Amino acid sequence: MGPRDDLSAAALRFRVPCIDDPSGWDLDLGTLTQWLAALRTCWQCPVLRQCGQLRDAHYPRGSATRRVAGNPRSVIWAGVAYSEDGSPMDPDTLRRYARRQGRIQHPGQATEAAARQA
Amino acid sequence: MLHVDRAWHRAATWAHHGFAPIDGGAPVHGQLYFALTELAAAADAADLEVCDDLILEVGVLADLLVRTEPVRGDPSATSVVVELWGELQRAAGSKEFEVLAAQAVLLRRLLPTPARARGPHDVPRYLITADRFGGGRHLALVASAEQLPPADPAAAFLHGLAVALLAGHGHLVDADTGECPQEGALLAVGWATANRPKGPTIGAIDSVDQVLILDPHRTVQAVRSTGHPDITATAVAHLLVDRWLMDSTLVVDEHQVLREPAVLRTDTAGAPTDSTWAWRIPTMVWAPTQFTDRPPRTRTLRAIPNDPA
């Protein structure tokens, strides 16, 4: 059974939120609040190991330390946030990334990016 | 602007390889696991005061963690702990509660899930203010000894304390002078007149810091006289600490961190006395006018001589 089958079987046993609504895991969408919530969901997910194996199967050249073509991009996958160039980001780096992208939403307001476009 | 290009990054490598927890079940692992859980909860509630306390506790426990196996013998694990702890402090310092909560959950991933239930030396579950004594931000004003107590046990004890003072089963002194509290409503702090206290001294009121500092056993004795014959100091102390209604102390030594549901007594110069423990309860858990009929005062500067040694 390959990584995809392993994850699918595990995911069927648990209602993993990223399958129901993957938008919170997409760094081209959403806000810092949603991204941090997605990371916390990953870190407490019962199929985190299988999810990481699936990621590694799709990105066998992936790395924890280098900006390489082998990492996912603009996505949260298996508890790791990857920037648009594939750099892994911890929560503080993600916060700074969100600020640069205008993806920090203050209560009752649009995101900074939406405000700039308005 | 500084950029960093790292050939190795222990925390990122740990994340890339699936956030594997360390091995072992040392007491500090469980204590830190629970502390990080409640820090995340307090950060989710944006409770700055509790976050401050829990950051302090996490720091004490993290220090013990890196001096305890297996982290002590594993430079990579030590590097991960130090980095994650630093990021957590940074988020706390800038009051970024969302990031703080996420960092707490992330650091907790390094720890094995405790196989035991929460114990007396673990941080209690975080409670928002409204849940600390059955509802409301403080007790209703206790105006007479005949007033019925609330059903909630923590609220009932605190109500009983106010009743004990009103009924003259004990009195409070001013924490600075040791005499009748000047800002106090005399009857409410157990005084018949400014020169005549009623019952034994059960503690002191600090009108500047807005806390009661109580002798546990004398306080329990006084409250027992109001119709609570079965209460014990130990049970009351743990109840109030578990409800985040009373101060506690982490007692730290080389190999362990223990929680005492009390604070050390200090003399007027601020030095510990003979290691007697006292209860320290903020007056804000009672109605604002329960013990005082005046606004809070400031403390005058007091000179304390240097130790000639």
Side-chain angles (χ1 to χ4, degrees), chain B residues 65-137:
Chain B
L65 176 70
V66 298
R67 291 186 288 107
T68 303
E69 296 294 347
V71 177
R72 186 175 70 174
D74 184 346
S76 291
T78 302
S79 176
V80 173
V81 172
V82 170
E83 176 168 341
L84 296 183
W85 167 231
E87 293 292 344
L88 193 149
Q89 283 188 300
R90 197 214 58 76
S94 58
K95 297 184 181 59
E96 290 163 351
F97 291 110
E98 287 181 316
V99 179
L100 174 58
Q103 289 289 164
V105 173
L106 180 58
L107 179 54
R108 192 182 66 174
R109 279 288 315 193
L110 189 64
L111 302 165
T113 303
R116 59 174 179 81
R118 203 174 294 226
H121 300 295
D122 299 316
V123 68
R125 293 192 186 281
Y126 171 68
L127 297 172
I128 60 174
T129 303
D131 292 343
R132 293 179 183 175
F133 37 59
R137 299 191 65 83

Side-chain angles (χ1 to χ4, degrees), chain A residues 63-107:
Chain A
S63 168
T65 59
R66 297 277 191 176
R67 299 178 198 180
V68 294
N71 271 348
R73 297 185 180 207
S74 295
V75 70
I76 292 170
W77 198 336
V80 180
Y82 298 94
S83 70
E84 57 199 359
D85 63 5
S87 297
M89 297 185 287
D90 59 36
D92 184 61
T93 306
L94 182 63
R95 175 192 61 83
R96 283 178 279 154
Y97 178 84
R99 183 171 297 281
R100 287 198 305 273
Q101 302 289 331
R103 292 289 185 176
I104 294 180
Q105 183 173 24
H106 301 286

Side-chain angles (χ1 to χ4, degrees), chain A residues 2-40:
Chain A
R4 182 184 294 277
D5 297 322
D6 193 18
L7 176 61
S8 298
L12 284 175
R13 294 196 298 274
F14 306 99
R15 295 282 308 176
V16 288
C18 58
I19 290 180
D20 288 342
D21 180 13
S23 62
W25 279 255
D26 186 340
L27 298 192
D28 290 325
L29 304 173
T31 64
L32 176 64
T33 298
Q34 292 170 307
W35 299 340
L36 291 172
L39 284 174
R40 288 176 66 173

Side-chain angles (χ1 to χ4, degrees), chain B residues 249-261:
Chain B
T249 302
L250 290 184
V251 181
V252 183
D253 69 19
E254 184 68 22
H255 303 294
Q256 64 182 4
V257 175
L258 302 178
R259 183 183 310 275
E260 183 69 38

Side-chain angles (χ1 to χ4, degrees), chain B residues 43-79:
Chain B
D44 285 339
D47 189 332
L48 180 60
E49 184 177 348
V50 173
C51 284
D52 272 347
D53 280 351
L54 290 177
I55 288 284
L56 183 60
E57 180 156 352
V58 168
V60 168
L61 294 170
D63 175 74
L64 181 56
L65 176 70
V66 298
R67 291 186 288 107
T68 303
E69 296 294 347
V71 177
R72 186 175 70 174
D74 184 346
S76 291
T78 302
S79 176

